[in-house]
Amino acid sequence: MNDLSTLTRRFFLKAAALAGAGAALDPMRALARSSTAPAAAMHKAASLPISIASANGLEATKRAVAMMRDGKDTLDAVIAGVNLVENDPEDDTVGYGGLPNEDGVVELDSCVMHGPTMRGAGVAALRNIKNPSLVAQRVMERTDHVLLVGEGALRFARAHGFREENLLTDASREKWLSWKEHLSKQDDWLPPHGEEDRDIGALFGVEGRPTGTINCLGLNDRAEISGVTTTSGLAFKIPGRVGDSPILGAGLYVDGSIGAAGSTGRGEANLLSLASFLIVERMRAGDAPTDACLQACQRIVAQTKMKRLLSEDGMPAFNVNFYALNVRGEFGGASIWSGRRFAVNEGGESRLVDSAYLFER
């Protein structure tokens, strides 16, 4: 039995004693109910419209709600919200000023999804354009495609009038140079390895290398819902690396009749689980948003087998964070590890809300 199986069994036994025989039929649900995970809070919007986002979305959610109150489309509203972060040179996780790949080039990813029409699109490994969310929206509106990448995405953006510019700020350049100057095994080039190998990769503890992303979801008073996720991706990645952020079903998923979900954190883990799609499907089956997000966290924990991604005691050595909003105005968020928060705005000033979690640090 591997460390993760032992860990899961330990929490299962603890939770079964607390929750009774019913929990024993589902060890992963028992894991979420163990004493390390708080009871899932049921958050319900006091009024609509509402917007929720990752913790860096305080201003984004405020702008999104203001625009929805003015009658703007939900997708236009959430994109305008994340544009504030994409355009901010002080934020090194998204857009202009984002941390570059290992060659010192900023590559951006984004996807959008419009609940009323069930359309969506994304762009990946896009260079020189600071608003990939707007380019993704243009792909959705002006092509028959769902995903454009690399040079093709850049040529499409140029054709639609997007201006090219150098996205690497002096501050981000200095961080990249420091990383290159201290390289050892803390990069993404791995030797041949198997499930039992440890200490060969680039994880820097639970929070890991900067992964910066913003996800923003919006619901108006007509129960119309949309979402966007945008990022500069994993700092110092191999050029061309694409995480979950531009992939519909992973970094974002919206069903106009059910709700929306998005993510931040370790994109590779989310790509292997397509967790945003899972969360929306769990809400379709009746789960509250927070419970659905916890289910996604549980799925990722169960799928993580490689020792290089686990601590010595079998715990995930990374974090993934999820955010969900349904068409009834119920919302929630959850992470593998404690200490995460997300932004909520129902009008006026935005606030931060604690995320549920599986494990306490």
Side-chain angles (χ1 to χ4, degrees):
M1 180 178 292
N2 64 29
D3 290 348
L4 182 58
S5 298
T6 302
L7 175 71
T8 301
R9 178 174 173 79
R10 183 166 71 246
F11 279 105
F12 160 61
L13 291 173
K14 181 194 297 184
L18 294 172
L25 297 177
D26 187 347
M28 293 311 295
R29 185 175 293 275
L31 174 63
R33 291 176 177 169
S34 75
S35 60
T36 61
M42 171 65 77
H43 301 293
K44 170 73 174 179
S47 62
L48 297 178
I50 180 175
S51 178
I52 74 168
S54 44
N56 54 346
L58 287 170
E59 292 302 315
T61 53
K62 183 177 180 179
R63 171 170 284 191
V65 166
M67 289 184 62
M68 287 187 288
R69 283 188 165 179
D70 286 342
K72 299 295 190 299
D73 182 81
T74 52
L75 184 56
D76 290 334
V78 294
I79 290 175
V82 301
N83 288 163
L84 295 174
V85 185
E86 289 176 332
N87 294 339
D88 182 1
E90 300 301 317
D91 188 306
D92 63 11
T93 68
V94 179
Y96 180 49
L99 292 175
N101 64 25
E102 67 177 15
D103 289 341
V105 178
V106 179
E107 290 183 325
L108 305 178
D109 306 323
S110 181
C111 72
V112 302
M113 201 161 183
H114 186 241
T117 60
M118 286 301 298
R119 294 190 300 169
V123 292
L126 176 66
R127 302 181 176 190
N128 303 337
I129 307 293
K130 68 182 178 184
N131 296 122
S133 59
L134 289 171
V135 181
Q137 183 182 29
R138 199 64 54 87
V139 172
M140 183 190 80
E141 294 173 342
R142 301 290 293 270
T143 80
D144 188 42
H145 302 327
V146 172
L147 181 64
L148 294 180
V149 304
E151 179 63 24
L154 176 57
R155 290 171 62 182
F156 174 83
R158 282 199 302 253
H160 284 273
F162 288 90
R163 181 170 64 90
E164 288 191 71
E165 56 188 297
N166 182 8
L167 302 180
L168 189 65
T169 60
D170 289 341
S172 292
R173 180 181 289 105
E174 287 301 317
K175 292 177 183 178
W176 168 66
L177 288 172
S178 176
W179 173 78
K180 288 186 71 70
E181 289 163 356
H182 294 87
L183 271 179
S184 57
K185 60 186 178 184
Q186 295 179 337
D187 59 31
D188 292 307
W189 297 89
L190 304 179
H193 62 281
E195 183 176 336
E196 299 299 314
D197 291 311
R198 293 185 181 275
D199 300 325
I200 60 171
L203 291 176
F204 302 172
V206 169
E207 291 303 324
R209 212 167 351 143
T211 56
T213 302
I214 180 170
N215 167 256
C216 188
L217 311 173
L219 174 72
N220 66 16
D221 56 7
R222 298 183 297 279
E224 296 170 337
I225 191 167
S226 293
V228 56
T229 301
T230 182
T231 187
S232 57
L234 180 66
F236 322 130
K237 60 197 173 188
I238 294 174
R241 177 264 186 186
V242 175
D244 63 322
S245 295
I247 306 301
L248 298 178
L252 173 73
Y253 193 74
V254 179
D255 185 314
S257 65
I258 303 298
S263 70
T264 61
R266 178 173 166 79
E268 281 75 8
N270 193 15
L271 278 172
L272 292 170
S273 65
L274 294 178
S276 290
F277 178 78
L278 170 65
I279 291 168
V280 173
E281 291 306 296
R282 291 301 313 175
M283 291 194 294
R284 188 192 307 277
D287 280 4
T290 301
D291 292 325
C293 290
L294 284 168
Q295 286 283 337
C297 293
Q298 293 164 14
R299 175 74 58 87
I300 288 173
V301 171
Q303 286 180 331
T304 302
K305 308 293 186 185
M306 306 299 287
K307 292 288 182 66
R308 67 180 180 85
L309 299 176
L310 300 171
S311 62
E312 291 291 339
D313 58 359
M315 305 290 272
F318 58 86
N319 208 359
V320 182
N321 321 292
F322 297 106
Y323 321 93
L325 173 65
N326 68 26
V327 294
R328 296 188 296 274
E330 297 164 348
F331 61 92
S335 303
I336 294 175
W337 291 98
S338 65
R340 304 301 297 183
R341 307 174 84 185
F342 62 98
V344 179
N345 189 290
E346 301 161 83
E349 295 302 315
S350 299
R351 70 185 191 276
L352 290 175
V353 176
D354 290 336
S355 295
Y357 55 89
L358 292 184
F359 306 121
E360 188 165 11
R361 283 189 288 162

